[in-house]
Structures are given as structure tokens and as C-alpha cells.
């Protein structure tokens, strides 16, 4: 799924939101807390795209994501009177940690509303940064409403996660780092939730076109089940959608920010979407090939490359927007990624209920050099005859060709393996 690509006729130099000078100032301001994150080369993705591919590792940023940049810039620009009132934010993760750390560094009291059931590492990190955390609501909308009521009741200043010029300017500073680290970059691939990150980066690149003498293409990536930008761009205005379940929960936003949408509409070249299996595969690739721990939302740019959703013309930078992943979630996502890469195979096989059948199956799998991880046995499977049983076998394989070899060995021996997708 893709939005209509931006016309290439003329450079975009006038955009809503922050000016280039404001983005430069925001970068300087945020440098008090934000580090210049590494730019890692990827041989694997370079071979895949046949152009140099680099990974901008914002997963290694302080607090584990780029969010500290925009949060600090916004808080640093508050007046003395606003600082005295304190700040409030609602978030299930990265924004919470960014606001909490920025507030601590600036000596501002912060209250963060988080949904009940938020991942323990994110909750603990937010508290460790010194924020007063209030657990409220089972869905983000309830948490946002509670934060708004708190602000009205106490006078605390709401710090939005993406839809504010100061936040956009703070995130836009990444564009300057990209140009310093990869001066000949032609394409940049960026995850999109509400749009603050891609709005800042694309705005900076668009305004730099006259200075650079060329355009840097910016492509956004959303999760299939939380893709508000493609229909919004088609309609010409921000639209609210119902989001479905996705492992990329960090970008599961049901409506684009108004300012963010206006910038994306004019400055972003294309928006594509990826499924959870693609994202899970991307996490496994990043772990194995780049030795980087990335959260699902931060890996969708790599997922788009693996799924062949983007085309590039030269040196390409993929932004890894965050690395805050719960270890329990990581375990499940890695399992899914291995399955999507045909590295983990689960089959169900009906068998005659007589001795020796399981041993014969194990022998065939061993001959095919696959490794059995788990075996389940039942006489109560759907459609089984009284004289039949069914076994469910989980095994490790070495990819699609090896998985097909295992299945062929079983079929040639007279068995009927059913692959569980």
C-alpha cells in the first residue's frame, strides 16, 4: 500500500511549521541532552538494494529513542511561568521517557499518565527519570483524556508527542546529522506514527534543497493496521481511522497531527505500509546482521526494504527510531520473525495410531538436518479417525529451501504434513 508520490516538478521551500533556522536552533538546544547517534553501514541491505545503505541508530539515543530531541526543545522554550506550573504528558512509552528526562534536566516537575498494563521496563524507566507516573485507563484515549483533565485542573502545560512546531523542530535536527554522516545521501526512510519525526526531517531536507542543489527523497513507513496517512493523503486532509492490533505499537496512531500532515503532504515523497511479519523479519535481520536491538516501530523502515516496498536511487539512510522493547515481546517477535523467514517450521501430521510412527518421523527430520524443538501429541484433532493420532512438530530450519526439503522428505515417505502459518 502506498500513497501517491509527491510531484518532483519544483522544490519545496515554503512549508508550515518551523523554519530552517528554527530547526538548526532546536538541534543546538537539544544537544544539551541528545547525543549524535551512530550511522551504521549495512552490507546485507546494501547487497539487497545494490546501493550503499546506512542505519541511523536512534535506538541508541538517550532514553532509547529520538523523542528526547523534540521533548527537550519544547520544554526548553517554556517561559518561567510555564515551567513553574509543571508539565504533563500521556504516553505508553518513548514520549513518556523523553519528557521525563527533559523535565529532570531542566528542573521542571513532570507528571506522566500511562495506561494500566504498560510494559514494566517503560514504566520503571519513566519513574527513574524522576517523573510522577499516574496509571490511568486501559486504552491510550482514556490516558490522554486523564492528562487533559489534569492539565485543566492544575494548570500544567501539556507536552504533545508530535503535533507542535517545537517538537517537529527538535526531531528535524536529525536531518543535519544525516547529511554530516552521509553527505551524498539520496533517500531517507522514516517510520511514521503521528508524523512528528518525518515532518521535522522532511521539512529540513525540503528547505535545504536550494542549498544542496538537489532533493533528498523522504519515504515514510506505517504499519498496515495503523496506517492513517495513505487515506488522509488521498483525501487531502487528516482522517481518523480505527487501528488494529500491530506489533509496531509505537507508531499505532489513529489520526495524523494537523501540522504534521500539512508538512508531510508537501515534503514527503511517498508513504508505504508493511505487515507484522515483515516487521518481525526486520527485527531478526537487525539482531543477526547489525547486532542492533530495535523495537518493532523502529524497524519498519528495514521491513519496507525487505518487503520490496521502496525504490531508491543512491546512498540510502534508514532511520531506526527506537530500541525500547520489552524482553517478553522481543521473544515473541523473534519467534514470529523466524517463522516469517522460514527458519522455524510448525507442522501437523496425522499418523496411524501404532508404535514406531513418531520414531520414523523423527528419523526423516534428522536425515533432512532439521532440528526438532517441540513435539505435541493428540488423539482429539479435528477430522481424525478413531485409528489416527496427530502430532504437532516445531523445528528449526535454515530458510525456505530447507523447509521445503523437510516437507518433501515427509511427503515422499507417505505422510501428509500440514504447515501451520
Amino acid at each position: 500500500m502506498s500513497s501517491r508520490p509527491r510531484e518532483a516538478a519544483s522544490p519545496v521551500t515554503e512549508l508550515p511549521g518551523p523554519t530552517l533556522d528554527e530547526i538548526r536552533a532546536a538541534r543546538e538546544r537539544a544537544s544539551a541532552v541528545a547525543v549524535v547517534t551512530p550511522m551504521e553501514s549495512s552490507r546485507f541491505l546494501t547487497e539487497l538494494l545494490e546501493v550503499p545503505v546506512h542505519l541511523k541508530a536512534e535506538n541508541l539515543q538517550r532514553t532509547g529513542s529520538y523523542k528526547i530531541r523534540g521533548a527537550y526543545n519544547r520544554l526548553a522554550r517554556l517561559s518561567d511561568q510555564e515551567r513553574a506550573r509543571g508539565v504533563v504528558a500521556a504516553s505508553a512509552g518513548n514520549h513518556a521517557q523523553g519528557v521525563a528526562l527533559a523535565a529532570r534536566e531542566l528542573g521542571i516537575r513532570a507528571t506522566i499518565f500511562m495506561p494500566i498494563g504498560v510494559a514494566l521496563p517503560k514504566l520503571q524507566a519513566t519513574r527513574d527519570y524522576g517523573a510522577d507516573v499516574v496509571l490511568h485507563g486501559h486504552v491510550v484515549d482514556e490516558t490522554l483524556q486523564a492528562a487533559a483533565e489534569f492539565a485543566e485542573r492544575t494548570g500544567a502545560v501539556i507536552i504533545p508527542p508530535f503535533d507542535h512546531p517545537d517538537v517537529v523542530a527538535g526531531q528535524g535536527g536529525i536531518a543535519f546529522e544525516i547529511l554530516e554522516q552521509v553527505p551524498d545521501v539520496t533517500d531517507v526512510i522514516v517510520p511514521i506514527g503521528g508524523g512528528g519525526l518525518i515532518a521535522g526531517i522532511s521539512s529540513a531536507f525540503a528547505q535545504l534543497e536550494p542549498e544542496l542543489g538537489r532533493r533528498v527523497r523522504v519515504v515514510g513507513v506505517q504499519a498496515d493496521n495503523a496506517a492513517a496517512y495513505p487515506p488522509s493523503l488521498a483525501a487531502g486532509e487528516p482522517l481518523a481511522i480505527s487501528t488494529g492490533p500491530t506489533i509496531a505499537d509505537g507508531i499505532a496512531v489513529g489520526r495524523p497531527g494537523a501540522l504534521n500532515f500539512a508538512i508531510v503532504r508537501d515534503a514527503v515523497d511517498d508513504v508505504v505500509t508493511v505487515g507484522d511479519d515483515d516487521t518481525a523479519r526486520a527485527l531478526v535481520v537487525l539482531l543477526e546482521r547489525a547486532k542492533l536491538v530495535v523495537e518493532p516501530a523502529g524497524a519498519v523502515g528495514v521491513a519496507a526494504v525487505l518487503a520490496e516496498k521502496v525504490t531508491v536511487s543512491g546512498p540510502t539512510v534508514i532511520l531506526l527510531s527506537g530500541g525500547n522493547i520489552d524482553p517478553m515481546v522481543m521473544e515473541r517477535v523473534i519467534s514470529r520473525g523466524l517463522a516469517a523467514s522460514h527458519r522455524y517450521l510448525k507442522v501437523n501430521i496425522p499418523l496411524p495410531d501404532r508404535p514406531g510412527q513418531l520414531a520414523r518421523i523423527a528419523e526423516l527430520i534428522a536425515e533432512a538436518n532439521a532440528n526438532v524443538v517441540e513435539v505435541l501429541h493428540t488423539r482429539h484433532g479435528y477430522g481424525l479417525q478413531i485409528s489416527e493420532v496427530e502430532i504437532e512438530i516445531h523445528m528449526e530450519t535454515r530458510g525456505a529451501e530447507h523447509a521445503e526439503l523437510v516437507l518433501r522428505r515427509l511427503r515422499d515417505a507417505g505422510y501428509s504434513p500440514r504447515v501451520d502459518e
Side-chain angles (χ1 to χ4, degrees):
M1 185 176 185
S2 166
S3 70
R4 181 174 61 84
R6 174 165 73 89
E7 295 293 336
S10 59
V12 177
T13 55
E14 294 184 8
L15 291 166
T19 66
L20 199 56
D21 285 343
E22 288 170 334
I23 295 174
R24 282 194 175 102
R27 183 198 180 190
E28 178 64 27
R29 203 173 286 121
S31 68
V33 291
V35 300
V36 176
T37 49
M39 184 72 75
E40 302 288 345
S41 298
S42 171
R43 285 195 294 269
F44 176 76
L45 295 175
T46 293
E47 291 174 3
L48 207 60
L49 288 181
E50 299 182 336
V51 297
V53 177
H54 308 271
L55 304 171
K56 179 60 171 167
E58 283 293 294
N59 58 308
L60 301 179
Q61 183 58 262
R62 289 187 69 184
T63 73
S65 91
Y66 71 93
K67 288 284 191 177
I68 183 61
R69 298 174 181 266
Y72 189 88
N73 188 53
R74 175 70 187 118
L75 267 67
R77 287 175 55 80
L78 294 177
S79 67
D80 290 341
Q81 292 82 359
E82 288 172 321
R83 294 187 185 202
R85 285 153 47 193
V87 297
V88 60
S91 168
N94 292 342
H95 181 55
Q97 294 173 65
V99 172
L101 177 59
R104 187 188 75 185
E105 295 299 302
L106 291 165
I108 301 172
R109 185 177 67 257
T111 303
I112 309 294
F113 284 77
M114 305 184 82
I116 297 169
V118 65
L120 183 59
K122 296 178 180 179
L123 171 63
Q124 191 59 52
T126 305
R127 283 178 170 157
D128 288 346
Y129 289 131
D132 179 17
V133 177
V134 179
L135 298 177
H136 184 94
H138 293 278
V139 295
V140 174
D141 285 346
E142 295 174 355
T143 310
L144 288 167
Q145 181 60 36
E149 291 172 355
F150 177 87
E152 185 175 352
R153 186 170 68 251
T154 65
V157 179
I158 293 181
I159 306 300
F162 47 80
D163 199 9
H164 192 284
D166 289 342
V167 174
V168 171
Q171 323 303 23
I174 296 173
F176 293 103
E177 289 185 22
I178 290 173
L179 284 171
E180 290 165 2
Q181 294 169 316
V182 187
D184 58 347
V185 61
T186 63
D187 299 79
V188 179
I189 303 171
V190 184
I192 307 182
L197 176 62
I198 197 170
I201 290 173
S202 63
S203 179
F205 279 127
Q207 294 179 72
L208 281 165
E209 285 180 25
E211 183 179 323
L212 294 173
R214 61 188 173 88
R215 190 176 89 218
V216 176
R217 291 183 68 253
V218 179
V219 176
V221 187
Q222 292 205 284
D224 279 344
N225 285 349
Y229 268 91
S232 296
L233 291 168
E237 61 180 350
L239 299 178
I241 65 163
S242 296
T243 61
T246 174
I247 59 173
D249 57 342
I251 54 172
V253 178
R255 181 185 176 91
L259 172 61
N260 310 136
F261 174 82
I263 297 172
V264 169
R265 178 191 58 208
D266 293 338
V268 171
D269 293 271
D270 203 5
V271 177
V272 301
T273 68
V274 293
D276 278 359
D277 282 347
D278 295 324
T279 303
R281 278 199 304 146
L283 257 72
V284 172
V285 165
L286 287 164
L287 279 170
E288 284 191 326
R289 304 286 183 144
K291 317 307 177 191
L292 290 171
V293 175
V294 182
E295 64 190 83
V300 294
V302 174
V305 171
L306 296 178
E308 300 181 350
K309 295 291 187 75
V310 295
T311 57
V312 297
S313 60
T316 297
V317 171
I318 304 174
L319 192 76
L320 309 178
S321 57
N324 291 317
I325 182 169
D326 187 314
M328 299 300 291
V329 174
M330 178 182 284
E331 182 181 20
R332 296 197 300 270
V333 171
I334 289 174
S335 295
R336 182 162 181 163
L338 290 173
S341 303
H342 304 283
R343 303 262 301 280
Y344 191 88
L345 184 64
K346 183 168 82 171
V347 296
N348 291 77
I349 309 173
L351 300 172
D353 190 9
R354 59 173 183 262
Q357 290 299 304
L358 181 57
R360 177 58 181 149
I361 293 290
E363 182 181 8
L364 290 167
I365 292 172
E367 289 173 356
N369 292 314
N371 182 45
V372 174
V373 176
E374 185 177 11
V375 178
L376 302 174
H377 176 283
T378 181
R379 288 184 169 85
H380 308 295
Y382 178 76
L384 290 178
Q385 303 297 319
I386 292 177
S387 59
E388 286 185 320
V389 297
E390 185 173 75
I391 60 169
E392 179 182 290
I393 299 182
H394 301 239
M395 65 188 92
E396 295 172 342
T397 57
R398 296 191 299 274
E401 291 184 6
H402 187 214
E404 186 53 43
L405 171 65
V406 174
L407 294 172
R408 188 164 61 249
R409 287 285 183 92
L410 292 169
R411 292 177 185 129
D412 290 347
Y415 297 103
S416 302
R418 185 179 76 254
V419 178
D420 190 331
E421 299 290 346

